[in-house]
Amino acid sequence: ASIAKAVEQGRTVYENIRKSIAFMLPTNGGEAMIVIGAIAVGLPLPITPIQILWINMVTTVTLALALAFEPAEEATMMRPPRSPDEPIIGPYLVWRIAYVSVFMTAVSFALFLYVESGNGLDHARGLVVNVIVALEAAYLLNSRFVRSSVLSIKGLFGSRPVLIAIGAVVLLQLAFTYLPPFQAMFATETLSLSDWGLVIAAAAGLFLVVEIEKIVARAVLRR
């Protein structure tokens, strides 16, 4: 029994490391691609360096940390032993990291151009910061299970650390968006309800894309 419990704990730690890496790489990759893309096409930066620092600081101490406390998944002990030569991030997760990074970049750019044309640069940048953080929060829920769906009570509400992390991020982003000292420091403006609708729609879009990808992947792997 002790050996079995040790194996379960070892597999859980290993899976949580994989989940954390698969969560952090596309979010950081998306930020980098946004900046590189803007420079390449000669557009104003959708996010400034100090805003990138805010995003990384907020998400690192909240969202990324939450995955370290994930409990073992139900099928943890049903899987055969992995090969010692197996990479920690295999082709499947590399694919997910790639398309999530591209999705974040494309959505952030599109919303930046849409909002900037009618509301100004500072307003658009403030919205993009919230979009990126919301995308990361949605992707955090996806990342709780690598291949299984999180569209269940357990998947969406089964982790207290994840819920606390998302709640903390919401409070921090409200402070970032509406408190005058933060607006002055980060050069942003107050967002309207319609702006928040765009933020929520972007996050919901990424969440559904990843869940659909999981369904397709499970169907392919069964063949």
Side-chain angles (χ1 to χ4, degrees):
S2 298
I3 293 174
K5 192 65 177 178
V7 170
E8 182 180 13
Q9 289 296 321
R11 290 187 174 189
T12 301
V13 171
Y14 180 81
E15 282 300 307
N16 289 349
I17 292 173
R18 292 179 69 213
K19 292 173 185 178
S20 297
I21 295 174
F23 170 76
M24 289 186 289
L25 287 182
T27 55
N28 291 330
E31 293 172 23
M33 291 170 64
I34 290 169
V35 174
I36 294 170
I39 294 172
V41 299
L43 290 173
L45 291 178
I47 44 177
T48 63
I50 192 172
Q51 290 170 348
I52 293 174
L53 180 62
W54 167 264
I55 294 170
N56 289 339
M57 180 181 69
V58 166
T59 57
T60 298
V61 301
T62 55
L63 302 181
L65 188 61
L67 288 174
F69 300 96
E70 278 295 294
E73 295 185 26
E74 291 182 357
T76 296
M77 296 300 288
M78 302 299 293
R79 292 192 292 267
R82 63 178 177 84
S83 169
D85 299 325
E86 177 184 307
I88 192 167
I89 298 294
Y92 176 65
L93 286 182
V94 169
W95 153 247
R96 179 174 296 171
I97 289 167
Y99 82 75
V100 170
S101 298
V102 171
F103 185 98
M104 287 187 173
T105 303
V107 169
S108 298
F109 251 116
L111 292 178
F112 172 75
L113 294 175
Y114 173 73
V115 174
E116 195 268 339
S117 62
N119 297 278
L121 186 58
D122 288 348
H123 191 99
R125 282 174 171 167
L127 180 130
V128 169
V129 171
N130 280 290
V131 165
I132 293 173
V133 174
L135 289 170
E136 294 188 20
Y139 184 53
L140 175 66
L141 291 173
N142 295 126
S143 300
R144 290 197 61 219
F145 303 151
V146 175
R147 286 191 174 90
S148 301
S149 174
V150 297
L151 292 173
S152 65
I153 297 297
K154 182 178 180 180
L156 295 175
F157 305 104
S159 172
R160 181 176 295 178
V162 167
L163 297 178
I164 292 173
I166 292 176
V169 162
V170 170
L171 293 177
L172 288 168
Q173 286 308 119
L174 290 175
F176 171 88
T177 305
Y178 292 107
L179 294 184
F182 285 85
Q183 291 178 339
M185 183 184 303
F186 295 101
T188 61
E189 297 178 358
T190 299
L191 299 185
S192 65
L193 287 178
S194 60
D195 292 327
W196 285 113
L198 296 174
V199 172
I200 294 171
L206 176 61
F207 179 84
L208 292 176
V209 165
V210 176
E211 289 304 303
I212 292 171
E213 177 263 315
K214 288 182 184 180
I215 294 172
V216 174
R218 291 197 300 272
V220 171
L221 291 173
R222 289 196 190 102
R223 296 177 181 176

